């Protein structure tokens, strides 16, 4: 039982690291494009600030905990279950999960690309993690959002 838990955490860390690496590479590419073409469409430069501590706390709860659970269930776990049931090819299923995840995050071209690759990684994780699939991917999603919140604050 302990070995399964350790294996699960190693998988979570592996996919979290892969997700962060992909996000970093996409950020580098889009920062290059933004510096050369200076388009608000490429990177959303609008600053979102919250004045009071209650707004910050509610925003943190939504982004770090509540939305990852809802998004993972609707955009990753349910499509995974559907694709498994209809015997859809795994590679195409993972691609479609990434695409669906990106379509739901369309406030800039940069964010669409970042969430597409995140969705691909979540799709890979849900197919390859043997136990606790939903909660493992949800944990990866939550941790990635927490890291993103910390880095952008």
């Amino acid at each position: 039982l302990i070995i399964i838990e350790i294996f699960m955490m190693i998988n979570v860390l592996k996919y979290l690291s892969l997700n962060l690496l992909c996000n970093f590479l996409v950020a580098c590419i889009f920062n290059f494009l933004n510096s050369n073409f200076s388009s608000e469409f490429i990177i959303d430069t609008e600053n979102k600030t919250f004045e009071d501590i209650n707004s910050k706390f509610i925003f943190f709860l939504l982004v770090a905990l509540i939305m990852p659970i809802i998004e993972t269930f609707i955009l990753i776990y349910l499509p995974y279950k559907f694709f498994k049931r209809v015997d859809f090819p795994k590679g195409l299923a993972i691609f479609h999960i990434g695409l669906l995840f990106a379509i739901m995050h369309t406030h800039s071209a940069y964010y669409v690309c970042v969430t597409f690759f995140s969705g691909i990684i979540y799709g890979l994780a849900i197919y390859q993690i043997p136990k606790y699939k939903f909660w493992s991917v949800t944990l990866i999603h939550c941790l990635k959002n927490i890291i993103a919140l910390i880095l952008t604050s």
Side-chain angles (χ1 to χ4, degrees):
L1 186 65
I2 301 262
I3 293 172
I4 292 172
E5 300 299 324
I6 291 170
F7 182 69
M8 187 189 93
M9 285 310 298
I10 289 171
N11 274 323
V12 166
L13 292 175
K14 176 175 75 172
Y15 289 109
L16 176 63
S17 301
L18 185 60
N19 196 338
L20 293 172
L21 176 65
C22 283
N23 284 205
F24 174 75
L25 293 174
V26 169
C28 289
I29 291 167
F30 274 85
N31 280 330
F32 171 77
L33 291 174
N34 198 49
S35 64
N36 289 322
F37 300 107
S38 188
S39 170
E40 291 295 316
F41 176 72
I42 294 175
I43 295 181
D44 183 14
T45 56
E46 176 186 328
N47 287 329
K48 296 172 179 71
T49 58
F50 299 94
E51 299 304 322
D52 62 44
I53 193 71
N54 288 334
S55 294
K56 289 179 183 178
F57 180 72
I58 291 169
F59 181 75
F60 180 83
L61 272 178
L62 280 171
V63 172
L65 299 172
I66 296 167
M67 290 311 296
I69 292 170
I70 295 167
E71 287 179 346
T72 301
F73 184 73
I74 294 171
L75 303 175
I76 297 154
Y77 186 73
L78 289 179
Y80 160 77
K81 287 301 221 179
F82 172 77
F83 291 138
K84 289 285 281 184
R85 180 177 296 244
V86 298
D87 202 28
F88 204 70
K90 185 164 89 171
L92 281 176
I94 292 168
F95 174 80
H96 282 89
I97 288 170
L99 196 59
L100 180 62
F101 196 72
I103 287 170
M104 297 307 293
H105 297 86
T106 57
H107 64 270
S108 73
Y110 165 73
Y111 205 62
V112 169
C113 287
V114 166
T115 55
F116 173 73
F117 287 110
S118 291
I120 294 281
I121 292 163
Y122 299 147
L124 279 169
I126 205 152
Y127 268 93
Q128 294 185 355
I129 293 175
K131 272 185 104 170
Y132 313 114
K133 291 178 178 292
F134 171 73
W135 290 111
S136 296
V137 175
T138 301
L139 179 61
I140 296 165
H141 194 167
C142 288
L143 291 172
K144 189 260 178 195
N145 283 7
I146 290 168
I147 291 168
L149 282 173
I150 291 169
L151 293 177
T152 59
S153 293

